[in-house]
Coordinates of all heavy atoms in Angstrom, one line a residue:
G552 N -38.9 -4.9 26.1 CA -38.7 -3.9 25.1 C -37.2 -3.8 24.8 O -36.4 -4.1 25.7
V554 N -34.3 -1.0 22.9 CA -34.0 0.3 22.2 C -32.6 0.4 21.9 O -31.7 0.0 22.7 CB -34.4 1.5 23.1 CG1 -34.5 2.8 22.2 CG2 -35.6 1.3 23.9
I593 N -43.2 3.3 27.3 CA -41.8 3.4 27.9 C -40.8 3.4 26.8 O -39.9 4.3 26.7 CB -41.6 2.4 28.9 CG1 -42.6 2.5 30.1 CG2 -40.2 2.3 29.4 CD1 -42.8 1.3 30.9
V594 N -40.9 2.4 25.9 CA -39.9 2.2 24.8 C -40.0 3.4 23.8 O -39.0 3.9 23.4 CB -40.1 0.8 24.1 CG1 -39.2 0.7 22.9 CG2 -39.8 -0.3 25.1
L597 N -38.4 6.5 25.3 CA -37.0 6.4 25.2 C -36.5 6.7 23.8 O -35.5 7.4 23.6 CB -36.5 5.0 25.6 CG -36.5 4.7 27.1 CD1 -36.3 3.2 27.3 CD2 -35.4 5.4 27.8
L618 N -30.3 -1.4 24.7 CA -30.9 -1.3 26.0 C -32.1 -2.3 26.1 O -33.0 -2.3 25.2 CB -31.4 0.1 26.3 CG -32.0 0.4 27.6 CD1 -30.9 0.4 28.7 CD2 -32.6 1.8 27.6
L619 N -32.1 -3.1 27.1 CA -33.2 -4.1 27.3 C -34.0 -3.7 28.5 O -33.5 -3.5 29.6 CB -32.6 -5.5 27.4 CG -31.6 -5.9 26.4 CD1 -30.8 -7.1 26.9 CD2 -32.2 -6.2 25.1
F620 N -35.3 -3.7 28.3 CA -36.2 -3.3 29.5 C -37.2 -4.5 29.7 O -37.8 -5.0 28.7 CB -37.0 -2.0 29.2 CG -38.0 -1.7 30.2 CD1 -37.7 -1.5 31.5 CD2 -39.4 -1.6 29.9 CE1 -38.6 -1.2 32.5 CE2 -40.3 -1.3 30.8 CZ -40.0 -1.1 32.2
D621 N -37.3 -4.9 30.9 CA -38.3 -5.9 31.3 C -39.3 -5.3 32.2 O -39.0 -5.0 33.4 CB -37.5 -7.1 32.0 CG -38.5 -8.3 32.2 OD1 -39.7 -8.0 32.5 OD2 -38.0 -9.4 32.2
Y624 N -40.4 -7.5 35.6 CA -39.5 -7.4 36.8 C -38.9 -6.1 37.0 O -38.1 -5.8 37.9 CB -38.4 -8.5 36.6 CG -39.0 -9.9 36.6 CD1 -39.3 -10.5 35.4 CD2 -39.4 -10.5 37.8 CE1 -39.9 -11.8 35.4 CE2 -40.1 -11.8 37.8 CZ -40.3 -12.4 36.6 OH -40.9 -13.6 36.6
T625 N -39.3 -5.1 36.1 CA -38.7 -3.7 36.2 C -37.2 -3.7 36.2 O -36.6 -3.3 37.2 CB -39.3 -2.9 37.4 OG1 -40.7 -3.2 37.4 CG2 -39.2 -1.4 37.1
T626 N -36.6 -4.2 35.2 CA -35.1 -4.2 35.1 C -34.7 -3.6 33.7 O -35.4 -3.8 32.7 CB -34.5 -5.6 35.2 OG1 -35.1 -6.4 34.1 CG2 -34.7 -6.2 36.5
F627 N -33.6 -2.8 33.8 CA -33.0 -2.3 32.6 C -31.6 -3.0 32.5 O -30.9 -3.1 33.4 CB -32.7 -0.8 32.6 CG -33.9 0.0 32.3 CD1 -34.7 0.5 33.3 CD2 -34.3 0.3 31.0 CE1 -35.9 1.3 33.0 CE2 -35.4 1.1 30.7 CZ -36.2 1.6 31.7
D628 N -31.3 -3.6 31.3 CA -30.0 -4.2 31.1 C -29.4 -3.6 29.8 O -30.2 -3.0 29.0 CB -30.1 -5.7 30.9 CG -30.3 -6.4 32.3 OD1 -29.4 -6.2 33.1 OD2 -31.3 -7.0 32.4
E629 N -28.1 -3.7 29.6 CA -27.5 -3.1 28.5 C -26.5 -4.0 27.9 O -25.7 -4.6 28.7 CB -26.9 -1.8 28.9 CG -26.5 -0.9 27.7 CD -25.7 0.3 28.2 OE1 -26.3 1.1 28.9 OE2 -24.6 0.5 27.8

Side-chain angles (χ1 to χ4, degrees):
V554 197
I593 295 161
V594 173
L597 285 166
L618 185 71
L619 310 166
F620 173 61
D621 185 329
Y624 297 95
T625 317
T626 56
F627 280 97
D628 285 301
E629 192 183 300

